[in-house]
Amino acid sequence: LEQARRPSVIWLSFQECTGCTESLTRSHSPSVENLILDLVSLDYHHTLQAAAGEAAEEARLQAMEANRGQYLVIVDGSIPGPDANPGYSTVAGHSNYDILMETVEHAAAVIAVGTCAAFGGLPQAKPNPTGAMSVMDLVHDKPVINVSGCPPIPMVITGVLAHYLTFGRLPELDAYRRPMAFYGQSIHDRCYRRPFYDKGLFAESFDDAGAKLGWCLYRLGCKGPTTYNACATMRWNSGTSWPVESGHPCLGCSEPGFWDDAGFYEPV
Ligand code: SF4
Ligand code: SF4
Ligand code: F3S
Protein backbone atom coordinates (compact mmCIF):
# COMPACT_ATOMS: atom_id res chain seq x y z
CA LEU A 1 0.00 0.00 0.00
CA GLU A 2 1.21 3.45 -0.81
CA GLN A 3 1.93 5.42 2.35
CA ALA A 4 -0.33 8.40 2.87
CA ARG A 5 1.46 11.69 2.30
CA ARG A 6 2.55 13.29 5.54
CA PRO A 7 1.88 17.04 5.99
CA SER A 8 4.86 19.23 5.18
CA VAL A 9 6.32 21.25 8.04
CA ILE A 10 8.91 24.00 7.59
CA TRP A 11 10.57 25.05 10.84
CA LEU A 12 12.28 28.45 10.76
CA SER A 13 14.76 29.45 13.46
CA PHE A 14 15.52 33.14 13.88
CA GLN A 15 16.77 35.05 16.95
CA GLU A 16 16.66 32.07 19.33
CA CYS A 17 18.85 30.02 21.62
CA THR A 18 17.95 26.47 20.43
CA GLY A 19 16.20 25.90 23.75
CA CYS A 20 12.86 25.46 22.01
CA THR A 21 14.25 22.75 19.71
CA GLU A 22 16.00 21.16 22.70
CA SER A 23 12.62 21.03 24.37
CA LEU A 24 10.95 19.50 21.30
CA THR A 25 13.47 16.65 21.29
CA ARG A 26 12.44 15.74 24.84
CA SER A 27 8.81 15.05 24.04
CA HIS A 28 7.91 11.46 24.83
CA SER A 29 4.35 11.26 23.56
CA PRO A 30 4.54 11.68 20.68
CA SER A 31 8.32 11.48 20.63
CA VAL A 32 10.21 13.63 18.17
CA GLU A 33 11.14 10.45 16.23
CA ASN A 34 7.46 9.48 16.08
CA LEU A 35 6.61 13.00 14.95
CA ILE A 36 9.23 13.20 12.21
CA LEU A 37 9.02 9.63 10.94
CA ASP A 38 5.27 8.99 11.18
CA LEU A 39 3.26 12.19 11.48
CA VAL A 40 4.89 14.98 9.47
CA SER A 41 7.39 15.54 6.73
CA LEU A 42 9.85 17.89 8.43
CA ASP A 43 11.24 19.45 5.26
CA TYR A 44 13.39 22.16 6.84
CA HIS A 45 14.85 22.58 10.31
CA HIS A 46 18.36 23.98 10.87
CA THR A 47 19.23 21.83 13.86
CA LEU A 48 17.58 18.55 12.88
CA GLN A 49 17.97 18.41 9.11
CA ALA A 50 20.74 16.42 7.43
CA ALA A 51 21.02 18.81 4.49
CA ALA A 52 23.13 21.97 4.67
CA GLY A 53 23.86 25.07 2.61
CA GLU A 54 22.20 25.42 -0.79
CA ALA A 55 20.63 21.95 -0.58
CA ALA A 56 18.84 22.93 2.61
CA GLU A 57 17.51 26.18 1.16
CA GLU A 58 16.42 24.30 -1.97
CA ALA A 59 14.50 21.82 0.21
CA ARG A 60 12.57 24.71 1.79
CA LEU A 61 11.64 26.18 -1.58
CA GLN A 62 10.65 22.79 -3.00
CA ALA A 63 8.47 22.00 0.03
CA MET A 64 6.71 25.36 -0.37
CA GLU A 65 6.06 24.77 -4.06
CA ALA A 66 4.93 21.15 -3.71
CA ASN A 67 2.59 21.86 -0.77
CA ARG A 68 1.29 25.30 -1.70
CA GLY A 69 -1.50 26.35 0.66
CA GLN A 70 -1.15 23.25 2.81
CA TYR A 71 2.17 23.32 4.60
CA LEU A 72 2.64 24.37 8.18
CA VAL A 73 5.30 26.89 9.23
CA ILE A 74 6.76 26.67 12.73
CA VAL A 75 8.91 29.54 13.96
CA ASP A 76 11.18 29.77 16.96
CA GLY A 77 12.94 33.02 17.77
CA SER A 78 12.03 36.66 17.24
CA ILE A 79 12.55 38.60 14.03
CA PRO A 80 14.28 41.97 13.49
CA GLY A 81 11.39 43.98 12.04
CA PRO A 82 11.20 45.53 8.57
CA ASP A 83 12.72 48.80 9.78
CA ALA A 84 15.67 47.12 11.54
CA ASN A 85 19.09 46.58 10.00
CA PRO A 86 18.55 43.32 8.03
CA GLY A 87 22.08 42.26 8.90
CA TYR A 88 21.22 41.66 12.55
CA SER A 89 20.14 38.11 11.77
CA THR A 90 20.45 36.37 8.43
CA VAL A 91 20.24 32.85 7.03
CA ALA A 92 21.86 32.01 3.70
CA GLY A 93 22.36 35.73 3.10
CA HIS A 94 18.70 36.63 3.59
CA SER A 95 17.23 38.58 6.48
CA ASN A 96 14.97 36.81 8.95
CA TYR A 97 12.15 39.13 7.94
CA ASP A 98 12.43 38.30 4.23
CA ILE A 99 12.59 34.54 4.91
CA LEU A 100 9.58 34.68 7.21
CA MET A 101 7.41 36.65 4.80
CA GLU A 102 8.44 34.53 1.82
CA THR A 103 7.80 31.26 3.65
CA VAL A 104 4.42 32.10 5.20
CA GLU A 105 2.95 33.48 1.96
CA HIS A 106 1.34 30.17 0.93
CA ALA A 107 1.26 28.44 4.33
CA ALA A 108 -1.91 27.02 5.84
CA ALA A 109 -1.03 28.24 9.34
CA VAL A 110 1.90 29.41 11.44
CA ILE A 111 2.85 28.13 14.90
CA ALA A 112 5.09 30.42 16.96
CA VAL A 113 6.99 28.16 19.34
CA GLY A 114 8.53 29.79 22.41
CA THR A 115 8.10 33.20 23.97
CA CYS A 116 10.64 34.77 21.58
CA ALA A 117 8.51 33.88 18.55
CA ALA A 118 5.17 34.38 20.32
CA PHE A 119 5.81 37.70 22.11
CA GLY A 120 9.36 38.86 21.35
CA GLY A 121 10.92 37.27 24.43
CA LEU A 122 14.55 37.73 25.36
CA PRO A 123 15.71 39.47 22.14
CA GLN A 124 12.94 42.07 22.61
CA ALA A 125 14.01 42.88 26.19
CA LYS A 126 15.07 46.52 26.69
CA PRO A 127 16.82 48.10 24.91
CA ASN A 128 15.87 45.66 22.12
CA PRO A 129 18.92 46.51 19.98
CA THR A 130 17.78 44.45 16.98
CA GLY A 131 14.23 45.76 16.78
CA ALA A 132 12.97 42.25 17.59
CA MET A 133 9.32 41.53 16.82
CA SER A 134 7.06 38.54 17.31
CA VAL A 135 5.50 36.45 14.54
CA MET A 136 2.02 37.88 15.20
CA ASP A 137 3.46 41.41 15.00
CA LEU A 138 4.39 40.65 11.39
CA VAL A 139 2.05 37.97 10.00
CA HIS A 140 -1.51 39.26 9.69
CA ASP A 141 -3.06 37.22 6.89
CA LYS A 142 -2.54 33.67 8.24
CA PRO A 143 -3.76 31.87 11.35
CA VAL A 144 -1.05 32.20 14.04
CA ILE A 145 -0.98 29.92 17.09
CA ASN A 146 1.28 30.92 19.98
CA VAL A 147 2.90 28.13 21.98
CA SER A 148 4.66 30.29 24.55
CA GLY A 149 7.16 29.40 27.25
CA CYS A 150 10.90 29.77 27.52
CA PRO A 151 10.97 27.11 26.30
CA PRO A 152 7.48 25.59 26.00
CA ILE A 153 6.81 22.22 27.62
CA PRO A 154 7.88 19.48 25.13
CA MET A 155 4.50 17.73 25.17
CA VAL A 156 2.72 21.03 24.60
CA ILE A 157 4.70 21.64 21.39
CA THR A 158 3.98 18.18 20.00
CA GLY A 159 0.43 18.16 21.41
CA VAL A 160 -0.53 21.35 19.57
CA LEU A 161 1.01 20.00 16.38
CA ALA A 162 -0.75 16.64 16.75
CA HIS A 163 -4.09 18.38 17.35
CA TYR A 164 -3.76 20.47 14.23
CA LEU A 165 -2.71 17.49 12.12
CA THR A 166 -5.50 15.29 13.49
CA PHE A 167 -8.40 17.72 13.24
CA GLY A 168 -7.12 20.03 10.50
CA ARG A 169 -8.19 23.14 12.38
CA LEU A 170 -6.93 25.49 15.05
CA PRO A 171 -7.52 24.58 18.68
CA GLU A 172 -9.54 26.96 20.86
CA LEU A 173 -7.26 29.90 21.66
CA ASP A 174 -7.05 32.46 24.47
CA ALA A 175 -6.68 36.23 24.01
CA TYR A 176 -2.96 35.78 23.28
CA ARG A 177 -3.65 33.05 20.69
CA ARG A 178 -2.46 30.28 22.99
CA PRO A 179 -4.32 26.93 23.00
CA MET A 180 -6.78 26.91 25.89
CA ALA A 181 -6.13 23.20 26.50
CA PHE A 182 -2.64 24.05 27.77
CA TYR A 183 -2.87 27.73 28.73
CA GLY A 184 -6.41 27.94 30.06
CA GLN A 185 -5.46 27.85 33.74
CA SER A 186 -2.82 29.71 35.72
CA ILE A 187 0.13 28.04 37.41
CA HIS A 188 -1.39 29.26 40.68
CA ASP A 189 -4.74 27.56 39.88
CA ARG A 190 -3.11 24.13 39.86
CA CYS A 191 -0.08 24.58 42.12
CA TYR A 192 0.32 21.97 44.86
CA ARG A 193 1.68 24.73 47.18
CA ARG A 194 -1.63 26.60 46.93
CA PRO A 195 -2.92 25.42 50.35
CA PHE A 196 0.04 27.23 51.93
CA TYR A 197 -0.74 30.40 49.99
CA ASP A 198 -4.35 30.21 51.17
CA LYS A 199 -3.20 29.84 54.79
CA GLY A 200 -0.69 32.71 54.49
CA LEU A 201 2.35 30.45 54.92
CA PHE A 202 5.20 31.83 52.80
CA ALA A 203 8.93 31.11 52.43
CA GLU A 204 10.78 34.39 53.03
CA SER A 205 14.15 33.18 51.72
CA PHE A 206 15.36 30.19 49.72
CA ASP A 207 16.84 28.50 52.79
CA ASP A 208 14.52 29.37 55.67
CA ALA A 209 12.31 26.96 57.59
CA GLY A 210 9.30 27.77 55.37
CA ALA A 211 11.25 26.91 52.22
CA LYS A 212 12.28 23.61 53.76
CA LEU A 213 8.66 22.88 54.64
CA GLY A 214 7.57 23.54 51.06
CA TRP A 215 5.58 26.71 51.75
CA CYS A 216 4.39 29.07 49.04
CA LEU A 217 7.07 30.94 47.04
CA TYR A 218 5.02 34.08 46.37
CA ARG A 219 7.25 36.35 48.48
CA LEU A 220 10.29 35.05 46.59
CA GLY A 221 8.79 36.44 43.41
CA CYS A 222 6.55 33.63 42.19
CA LYS A 223 4.53 34.81 39.18
CA GLY A 224 2.24 31.77 39.26
CA PRO A 225 -0.89 33.86 39.90
CA THR A 226 -0.44 35.79 36.64
CA THR A 227 1.12 33.05 34.49
CA TYR A 228 -0.86 30.73 32.25
CA ASN A 229 0.85 27.45 31.38
CA ALA A 230 0.54 23.72 32.05
CA CYS A 231 3.70 23.18 34.14
CA ALA A 232 1.80 22.35 37.35
CA THR A 233 -0.17 19.56 35.66
CA MET A 234 2.03 18.24 32.83
CA ARG A 235 5.36 18.97 34.53
CA TRP A 236 8.78 18.68 32.87
CA ASN A 237 11.26 15.94 32.00
CA SER A 238 8.58 13.37 31.19
CA GLY A 239 6.52 14.37 34.20
CA THR A 240 9.40 14.33 36.71
CA SER A 241 9.10 17.81 38.22
CA TRP A 242 8.63 21.50 37.47
CA PRO A 243 10.16 24.79 38.69
CA VAL A 244 7.99 25.31 41.78
CA GLU A 245 8.38 21.67 42.82
CA SER A 246 12.17 22.08 42.67
CA GLY A 247 11.94 25.08 45.02
CA HIS A 248 12.07 27.91 42.47
CA PRO A 249 9.36 30.49 41.87
CA CYS A 250 7.63 30.63 38.52
CA LEU A 251 9.21 33.49 36.53
CA GLY A 252 6.26 33.98 34.20
CA CYS A 253 8.11 32.71 31.15
CA SER A 254 5.00 32.07 29.05
CA GLU A 255 3.57 35.59 29.36
CA PRO A 256 3.89 38.63 27.10
CA GLY A 257 6.51 40.99 28.52
CA PHE A 258 8.78 38.23 29.76
CA TRP A 259 11.68 39.38 30.51
CA ASP A 260 11.11 43.07 31.19
CA ASP A 261 7.81 42.80 33.05
CA ALA A 262 8.52 39.70 35.10
CA GLY A 263 10.67 41.37 37.80
CA PHE A 264 12.65 38.28 38.67
CA TYR A 265 12.58 37.38 42.38
CA GLU A 266 10.52 40.44 43.23
CA PRO A 267 7.03 39.95 44.66
CA VAL A 268 4.36 41.63 42.53
FE1 SF4 B 1 15.42 30.23 23.80
FE2 SF4 B 1 13.42 30.81 25.45
FE3 SF4 B 1 13.57 32.05 23.11
FE4 SF4 B 1 12.94 29.44 23.17
S1 SF4 B 1 11.71 31.13 24.00
S2 SF4 B 1 14.42 30.44 21.78
S3 SF4 B 1 14.15 28.76 24.94
S4 SF4 B 1 15.09 32.24 24.80
FE1 SF4 C 1 0.86 30.27 43.67
FE2 SF4 C 1 3.50 30.33 43.28
FE3 SF4 C 1 2.54 30.00 45.72
FE4 SF4 C 1 2.32 28.04 43.89
S1 SF4 C 1 4.23 28.85 44.79
S2 SF4 C 1 0.73 28.77 45.32
S3 SF4 C 1 1.98 29.26 42.05
S4 SF4 C 1 2.27 31.85 44.42
FE1 F3S D 1 7.87 29.01 32.93
FE2 F3S D 1 6.63 29.35 35.25
FE3 F3S D 1 6.46 27.05 33.98
S1 F3S D 1 8.67 30.09 34.68
S2 F3S D 1 8.44 26.88 33.00
S3 F3S D 1 5.66 29.03 33.28
S4 F3S D 1 6.56 27.33 36.18
PDB file of all heavy atoms in Angstrom, residues 210-234:
ATOM      1  N   GLY A 210      10.463  27.872  56.239  1.00  0.00           N
ATOM      2  CA  GLY A 210       9.298  27.770  55.368  1.00  0.00           C
ATOM      3  C   GLY A 210       9.656  27.129  54.031  1.00  0.00           C
ATOM      4  O   GLY A 210       8.906  26.299  53.509  1.00  0.00           O
ATOM      5  N   ALA A 211      10.809  27.510  53.488  1.00  0.00           N
ATOM      6  CA  ALA A 211      11.248  26.915  52.215  1.00  0.00           C
ATOM      7  C   ALA A 211      11.446  25.415  52.394  1.00  0.00           C
ATOM      8  O   ALA A 211      11.054  24.614  51.537  1.00  0.00           O
ATOM      9  CB  ALA A 211      12.534  27.581  51.739  1.00  0.00           C
ATOM     10  N   LYS A 212      12.033  25.045  53.526  1.00  0.00           N
ATOM     11  CA  LYS A 212      12.281  23.614  53.764  1.00  0.00           C
ATOM     12  C   LYS A 212      10.976  22.849  53.968  1.00  0.00           C
ATOM     13  O   LYS A 212      10.901  21.650  53.667  1.00  0.00           O
ATOM     14  CB  LYS A 212      13.207  23.446  54.975  1.00  0.00           C
ATOM     15  CG  LYS A 212      14.635  23.867  54.637  1.00  0.00           C
ATOM     16  CD  LYS A 212      15.553  23.880  55.834  1.00  0.00           C
ATOM     17  CE  LYS A 212      16.914  24.436  55.394  1.00  0.00           C
ATOM     18  NZ  LYS A 212      17.644  25.081  56.451  1.00  0.00           N
ATOM     19  N   LEU A 213       9.949  23.543  54.444  1.00  0.00           N
ATOM     20  CA  LEU A 213       8.656  22.880  54.639  1.00  0.00           C
ATOM     21  C   LEU A 213       7.778  22.925  53.388  1.00  0.00           C
ATOM     22  O   LEU A 213       6.654  22.446  53.398  1.00  0.00           O
ATOM     23  CB  LEU A 213       7.915  23.545  55.816  1.00  0.00           C
ATOM     24  CG  LEU A 213       8.511  23.261  57.197  1.00  0.00           C
ATOM     25  CD1 LEU A 213       7.929  24.213  58.245  1.00  0.00           C
ATOM     26  CD2 LEU A 213       8.252  21.809  57.596  1.00  0.00           C
ATOM     27  N   GLY A 214       8.305  23.528  52.320  1.00  0.00           N
ATOM     28  CA  GLY A 214       7.569  23.541  51.058  1.00  0.00           C
ATOM     29  C   GLY A 214       6.486  24.593  50.974  1.00  0.00           C
ATOM     30  O   GLY A 214       5.539  24.460  50.195  1.00  0.00           O
ATOM     31  N   TRP A 215       6.600  25.667  51.762  1.00  0.00           N
ATOM     32  CA  TRP A 215       5.581  26.707  51.753  1.00  0.00           C
ATOM     33  C   TRP A 215       5.589  27.487  50.437  1.00  0.00           C
ATOM     34  O   TRP A 215       6.529  27.386  49.632  1.00  0.00           O
ATOM     35  CB  TRP A 215       5.796  27.673  52.946  1.00  0.00           C
ATOM     36  CG  TRP A 215       5.468  27.020  54.279  1.00  0.00           C
ATOM     37  CD1 TRP A 215       4.977  25.762  54.489  1.00  0.00           C
ATOM     38  CD2 TRP A 215       5.635  27.602  55.572  1.00  0.00           C
ATOM     39  NE1 TRP A 215       4.819  25.526  55.825  1.00  0.00           N
ATOM     40  CE2 TRP A 215       5.209  26.633  56.522  1.00  0.00           C
ATOM     41  CE3 TRP A 215       6.085  28.837  56.035  1.00  0.00           C
ATOM     42  CZ2 TRP A 215       5.245  26.878  57.902  1.00  0.00           C
ATOM     43  CZ3 TRP A 215       6.111  29.091  57.406  1.00  0.00           C
ATOM     44  CH2 TRP A 215       5.687  28.108  58.327  1.00  0.00           C
ATOM     45  N   CYS A 216       4.589  28.310  50.277  1.00  0.00           N
ATOM     46  CA  CYS A 216       4.387  29.072  49.039  1.00  0.00           C
ATOM     47  C   CYS A 216       5.570  30.015  48.750  1.00  0.00           C
ATOM     48  O   CYS A 216       6.134  30.630  49.666  1.00  0.00           O
ATOM     49  CB  CYS A 216       3.105  29.883  49.167  1.00  0.00           C
ATOM     50  SG  CYS A 216       2.823  31.014  47.815  1.00  0.00           S
ATOM     51  N   LEU A 217       5.905  30.160  47.457  1.00  0.00           N
ATOM     52  CA  LEU A 217       7.067  30.944  47.039  1.00  0.00           C
ATOM     53  C   LEU A 217       6.703  32.355  46.566  1.00  0.00           C
ATOM     54  O   LEU A 217       7.513  33.045  45.963  1.00  0.00           O
ATOM     55  CB  LEU A 217       7.804  30.194  45.916  1.00  0.00           C
ATOM     56  CG  LEU A 217       8.261  28.774  46.277  1.00  0.00           C
ATOM     57  CD1 LEU A 217       8.780  28.032  45.039  1.00  0.00           C
ATOM     58  CD2 LEU A 217       9.342  28.824  47.361  1.00  0.00           C
ATOM     59  N   TYR A 218       5.495  32.784  46.870  1.00  0.00           N
ATOM     60  CA  TYR A 218       5.020  34.079  46.373  1.00  0.00           C
ATOM     61  C   TYR A 218       5.948  35.232  46.770  1.00  0.00           C
ATOM     62  O   TYR A 218       6.257  36.111  45.962  1.00  0.00           O
ATOM     63  CB  TYR A 218       3.605  34.331  46.896  1.00  0.00           C
ATOM     64  CG  TYR A 218       2.998  35.597  46.377  1.00  0.00           C
ATOM     65  CD1 TYR A 218       2.532  35.674  45.065  1.00  0.00           C
ATOM     66  CD2 TYR A 218       2.885  36.723  47.191  1.00  0.00           C
ATOM     67  CE1 TYR A 218       1.981  36.832  44.571  1.00  0.00           C
ATOM     68  CE2 TYR A 218       2.333  37.890  46.698  1.00  0.00           C
ATOM     69  CZ  TYR A 218       1.879  37.943  45.399  1.00  0.00           C
ATOM     70  OH  TYR A 218       1.342  39.102  44.916  1.00  0.00           O
ATOM     71  N   ARG A 219       6.407  35.226  48.013  1.00  0.00           N
ATOM     72  CA  ARG A 219       7.249  36.346  48.477  1.00  0.00           C
ATOM     73  C   ARG A 219       8.681  36.258  47.955  1.00  0.00           C
ATOM     74  O   ARG A 219       9.489  37.165  48.176  1.00  0.00           O
ATOM     75  CB  ARG A 219       7.230  36.418  50.006  1.00  0.00           C
ATOM     76  CG  ARG A 219       5.870  36.865  50.499  1.00  0.00           C
ATOM     77  CD  ARG A 219       5.837  37.128  51.969  1.00  0.00           C
ATOM     78  NE  ARG A 219       4.486  37.476  52.380  1.00  0.00           N
ATOM     79  CZ  ARG A 219       4.017  37.365  53.607  1.00  0.00           C
ATOM     80  NH1 ARG A 219       4.814  36.904  54.569  1.00  0.00           N
ATOM     81  NH2 ARG A 219       2.783  37.706  53.884  1.00  0.00           N
ATOM     82  N   LEU A 220       8.994  35.158  47.274  1.00  0.00           N
ATOM     83  CA  LEU A 220      10.291  35.053  46.592  1.00  0.00           C
ATOM     84  C   LEU A 220      10.131  35.375  45.105  1.00  0.00           C
ATOM     85  O   LEU A 220      11.007  35.092  44.291  1.00  0.00           O
ATOM     86  CB  LEU A 220      10.873  33.647  46.782  1.00  0.00           C
ATOM     87  CG  LEU A 220      11.192  33.296  48.242  1.00  0.00           C
ATOM     88  CD1 LEU A 220      11.638  31.843  48.367  1.00  0.00           C
ATOM     89  CD2 LEU A 220      12.274  34.228  48.789  1.00  0.00           C
ATOM     90  N   GLY A 221       8.993  35.951  44.775  1.00  0.00           N
ATOM     91  CA  GLY A 221       8.795  36.443  43.407  1.00  0.00           C
ATOM     92  C   GLY A 221       8.016  35.513  42.506  1.00  0.00           C
ATOM     93  O   GLY A 221       8.074  35.676  41.271  1.00  0.00           O
ATOM     94  N   CYS A 222       7.293  34.548  43.059  1.00  0.00           N
ATOM     95  CA  CYS A 222       6.552  33.628  42.191  1.00  0.00           C
ATOM     96  C   CYS A 222       5.474  34.370  41.391  1.00  0.00           C
ATOM     97  O   CYS A 222       4.659  35.103  41.950  1.00  0.00           O
ATOM     98  CB  CYS A 222       5.913  32.504  42.996  1.00  0.00           C
ATOM     99  SG  CYS A 222       5.149  31.272  41.917  1.00  0.00           S
ATOM    100  N   LYS A 223       5.497  34.161  40.073  1.00  0.00           N
ATOM    101  CA  LYS A 223       4.528  34.809  39.177  1.00  0.00           C
ATOM    102  C   LYS A 223       3.402  33.858  38.790  1.00  0.00           C
ATOM    103  O   LYS A 223       2.651  34.117  37.842  1.00  0.00           O
ATOM    104  CB  LYS A 223       5.233  35.309  37.911  1.00  0.00           C
ATOM    105  CG  LYS A 223       6.383  36.280  38.175  1.00  0.00           C
ATOM    106  CD  LYS A 223       5.907  37.559  38.844  1.00  0.00           C
ATOM    107  CE  LYS A 223       7.016  38.562  39.066  1.00  0.00           C
ATOM    108  NZ  LYS A 223       8.055  38.144  39.988  1.00  0.00           N
ATOM    109  N   GLY A 224       3.295  32.738  39.545  1.00  0.00           N
ATOM    110  CA  GLY A 224       2.244  31.768  39.255  1.00  0.00           C
ATOM    111  C   GLY A 224       0.844  32.351  39.135  1.00  0.00           C
ATOM    112  O   GLY A 224       0.073  31.937  38.269  1.00  0.00           O
ATOM    113  N   PRO A 225       0.476  33.330  39.990  1.00  0.00           N
ATOM    114  CA  PRO A 225      -0.888  33.862  39.900  1.00  0.00           C
ATOM    115  C   PRO A 225      -1.192  34.572  38.584  1.00  0.00           C
ATOM    116  O   PRO A 225      -2.363  34.699  38.208  1.00  0.00           O
ATOM    117  CB  PRO A 225      -0.955  34.838  41.087  1.00  0.00           C
ATOM    118  CG  PRO A 225       0.037  34.294  42.072  1.00  0.00           C
ATOM    119  CD  PRO A 225       1.166  33.761  41.227  1.00  0.00           C
ATOM    120  N   THR A 226      -0.181  35.053  37.891  1.00  0.00           N
ATOM    121  CA  THR A 226      -0.442  35.787  36.642  1.00  0.00           C
ATOM    122  C   THR A 226       0.126  35.070  35.416  1.00  0.00           C
ATOM    123  O   THR A 226       0.240  35.661  34.340  1.00  0.00           O
ATOM    124  CB  THR A 226       0.167  37.203  36.721  1.00  0.00           C
ATOM    125  OG1 THR A 226       1.549  37.094  37.103  1.00  0.00           O
ATOM    126  CG2 THR A 226      -0.563  38.071  37.728  1.00  0.00           C
ATOM    127  N   THR A 227       0.488  33.797  35.594  1.00  0.00           N
ATOM    128  CA  THR A 227       1.120  33.054  34.492  1.00  0.00           C
ATOM    129  C   THR A 227       0.257  31.875  34.075  1.00  0.00           C
ATOM    130  O   THR A 227      -0.140  31.062  34.916  1.00  0.00           O
ATOM    131  CB  THR A 227       2.509  32.555  34.931  1.00  0.00           C
ATOM    132  OG1 THR A 227       3.299  33.681  35.297  1.00  0.00           O
ATOM    133  CG2 THR A 227       3.201  31.801  33.808  1.00  0.00           C
ATOM    134  N   TYR A 228      -0.004  31.792  32.787  1.00  0.00           N
ATOM    135  CA  TYR A 228      -0.860  30.725  32.250  1.00  0.00           C
ATOM    136  C   TYR A 228      -0.002  29.731  31.476  1.00  0.00           C
ATOM    137  O   TYR A 228       0.625  30.067  30.482  1.00  0.00           O
ATOM    138  CB  TYR A 228      -1.967  31.336  31.380  1.00  0.00           C
ATOM    139  CG  TYR A 228      -2.962  32.065  32.258  1.00  0.00           C
ATOM    140  CD1 TYR A 228      -2.660  33.315  32.788  1.00  0.00           C
ATOM    141  CD2 TYR A 228      -4.154  31.459  32.622  1.00  0.00           C
ATOM    142  CE1 TYR A 228      -3.541  33.962  33.652  1.00  0.00           C
ATOM    143  CE2 TYR A 228      -5.052  32.097  33.481  1.00  0.00           C
ATOM    144  CZ  TYR A 228      -4.729  33.343  33.989  1.00  0.00           C
ATOM    145  OH  TYR A 228      -5.594  33.973  34.849  1.00  0.00           O
ATOM    146  N   ASN A 229       0.040  28.516  31.986  1.00  0.00           N
ATOM    147  CA  ASN A 229       0.850  27.454  31.375  1.00  0.00           C
ATOM    148  C   ASN A 229       0.471  26.144  32.073  1.00  0.00           C
ATOM    149  O   ASN A 229      -0.252  26.157  33.082  1.00  0.00           O
ATOM    150  CB  ASN A 229       2.351  27.766  31.562  1.00  0.00           C
ATOM    151  CG  ASN A 229       3.224  27.088  30.514  1.00  0.00           C
ATOM    152  OD1 ASN A 229       2.787  26.140  29.849  1.00  0.00           O
ATOM    153  ND2 ASN A 229       4.457  27.541  30.384  1.00  0.00           N
ATOM    154  N   ALA A 230       0.969  25.032  31.545  1.00  0.00           N
ATOM    155  CA  ALA A 230       0.542  23.719  32.048  1.00  0.00           C
ATOM    156  C   ALA A 230       1.594  23.040  32.930  1.00  0.00           C
ATOM    157  O   ALA A 230       1.495  21.841  33.189  1.00  0.00           O
ATOM    158  CB  ALA A 230       0.193  22.818  30.870  1.00  0.00           C
ATOM    159  N   CYS A 231       2.587  23.794  33.393  1.00  0.00           N
ATOM    160  CA  CYS A 231       3.702  23.176  34.143  1.00  0.00           C
ATOM    161  C   CYS A 231       3.219  22.413  35.374  1.00  0.00           C
ATOM    162  O   CYS A 231       3.753  21.344  35.691  1.00  0.00           O
ATOM    163  CB  CYS A 231       4.700  24.241  34.576  1.00  0.00           C
ATOM    164  SG  CYS A 231       5.284  25.250  33.211  1.00  0.00           S
ATOM    165  N   ALA A 232       2.230  22.968  36.086  1.00  0.00           N
ATOM    166  CA  ALA A 232       1.802  22.345  37.347  1.00  0.00           C
ATOM    167  C   ALA A 232       1.073  21.026  37.125  1.00  0.00           C
ATOM    168  O   ALA A 232       1.005  20.194  38.033  1.00  0.00           O
ATOM    169  CB  ALA A 232       0.901  23.313  38.122  1.00  0.00           C
ATOM    170  N   THR A 233       0.552  20.806  35.927  1.00  0.00           N
ATOM    171  CA  THR A 233      -0.171  19.556  35.661  1.00  0.00           C
ATOM    172  C   THR A 233       0.637  18.607  34.778  1.00  0.00           C
ATOM    173  O   THR A 233       0.713  17.413  35.043  1.00  0.00           O
ATOM    174  CB  THR A 233      -1.528  19.848  34.993  1.00  0.00           C
ATOM    175  OG1 THR A 233      -1.320  20.760  33.905  1.00  0.00           O
ATOM    176  CG2 THR A 233      -2.499  20.456  35.973  1.00  0.00           C
ATOM    177  N   MET A 234       1.275  19.114  33.733  1.00  0.00           N
ATOM    178  CA  MET A 234       2.033  18.236  32.830  1.00  0.00           C
ATOM    179  C   MET A 234       3.465  18.013  33.322  1.00  0.00           C
ATOM    180  O   MET A 234       4.063  16.996  33.043  1.00  0.00           O
ATOM    181  CB  MET A 234       2.043  18.802  31.415  1.00  0.00           C
ATOM    182  CG  MET A 234       0.640  18.910  30.844  1.00  0.00           C
ATOM    183  SD  MET A 234       0.617  19.452  29.150  1.00  0.00           S
ATOM    184  CE  MET A 234       1.202  18.001  28.322  1.00  0.00           C
TER     185      MET A 234
END
